[in-house]
Amino acid sequence: MTFSNRFKIKLLFCIIVVGAFSCTDYQEEKIEKLKSEITWLKKETIPIRFKILSRTPEFIHVGLKLYDADGAEIKYSELKMPGRELSFDFYIVQANGKQIAFPYKIFTDQIAPKNGTLLIPMYDKDGFPLILHHQQIDASTTIALTDLFAEIKSGEIHNRKKQFGSLVHDLDGVRLFEEGVVYKIIIHSKGGIEIVAE
């Protein structure tokens, strides 16, 4: 995937909070454990870069690259989906004043979110979310993140307080992601997700 430097502007993006839920004592204990181990989380991480390879009135062909917290490439994949507007869904968990973001699904205006393509298998390595791997990670943090990731995969995350969903996407008629341009999804640990053209 070749990277273009033509665009250095921030794209229009939308963040939709889709829910917050009550939490059990057991889950609170796990998030409390993670709080003390999340100091390593960088101010900004880029778990995904993508490029629209082609777009027709009926289909979007997109190339995706996933990265770990050190910026090392994890996976490359190409998807061809019906529709024109591209959307990314995330699970966000709050811990110690920071947000941990897990890419969840990709879908379009012609694909219902529930039928979107799961992104989780692209960074699931023996139960650990590789997008959060970094060279200094220790065994305790690995276990805590693996437990949290298991909740997300099982659907138990819906019972957690300080958990919500975010959706970032382009809008037909306003501005669409341009073909051939590489975009990066930036996760701000203090809050917020944005898509920026490189």
Side-chain angles (χ1 to χ4, degrees):
M1 184 183 295
T2 59
F3 291 170
S4 168
N5 290 319
R6 293 181 302 147
F7 299 94
K8 297 293 183 183
I9 59 172
K10 294 182 178 179
L11 273 187
L12 171 69
F13 71 96
C14 179
I15 298 178
I16 301 173
V17 176
V18 297
F21 308 93
S22 62
C23 182
T24 66
D25 290 340
Y26 174 66
Q27 289 166 329
E28 279 292 350
E29 287 176 10
K30 287 200 288 187
I31 201 69
E32 286 297 325
K33 182 176 185 294
L34 190 56
K35 280 183 180 182
S36 65
E37 298 164 348
I38 200 172
T39 55
W40 55 266
L41 193 61
K42 297 177 181 179
K43 290 182 180 179
E44 293 181 355
T45 56
I46 301 171
I48 297 175
R49 283 182 169 88
F50 68 93
K51 180 167 67 173
I52 305 299
L53 302 175
S54 64
R55 178 190 268 119
T56 70
E58 292 81 25
F59 288 95
I60 298 174
H61 184 194
V62 59
L64 298 172
K65 281 187 179 181
L66 278 75
Y67 299 85
D68 69 12
D70 290 327
E73 185 179 330
I74 298 169
K75 175 85 173 179
Y76 175 73
S77 183
E78 292 185 15
L79 299 170
K80 188 174 183 180
M81 299 172 289
R84 286 186 56 79
E85 298 174 10
L86 189 64
S87 299
F88 293 87
D89 193 14
F90 289 78
Y91 272 122
I92 307 295
V93 177
Q94 299 289 346
N96 201 23
K98 296 182 179 181
Q99 70 173 16
I100 309 172
F102 297 85
Y104 184 55
K105 285 185 178 180
I106 182 172
F107 54 96
T108 72
D109 55 310
Q110 296 298 314
I111 300 174
K114 67 178 182 180
N115 297 324
T117 299
L118 280 172
L119 296 172
I120 286 175
M122 297 182 188
Y123 62 91
D124 184 350
K125 176 66 173 178
D126 300 325
F128 180 80
L130 281 179
I131 57 164
L132 295 173
H133 177 267
H134 64 99
Q135 291 183 352
Q136 287 75 40
I137 198 166
D138 57 28
S140 180
T141 305
T142 298
I143 291 170
L145 288 172
T146 300
D147 287 346
L148 182 59
F149 195 38
E151 286 188 42
I152 290 171
K153 293 188 292 182
S154 68
E156 292 178 13
I157 196 70
H158 291 295
N159 297 319
R160 180 186 292 285
K161 184 173 65 176
K162 299 181 181 178
Q163 175 274 322
F164 57 91
S166 280
L167 180 70
V168 292
H169 64 98
D170 58 349
L171 297 171
D172 198 3
V174 179
R175 183 164 191 168
L176 290 173
F177 299 131
E178 299 182 41
E179 287 184 42
V181 176
V182 174
Y183 297 94
K184 56 185 178 183
I185 299 181
I186 303 173
I187 309 298
H188 299 279
S189 65
K190 291 188 176 180
I193 301 175
E194 65 179 338
I195 299 180
V196 177
E198 290 196 316

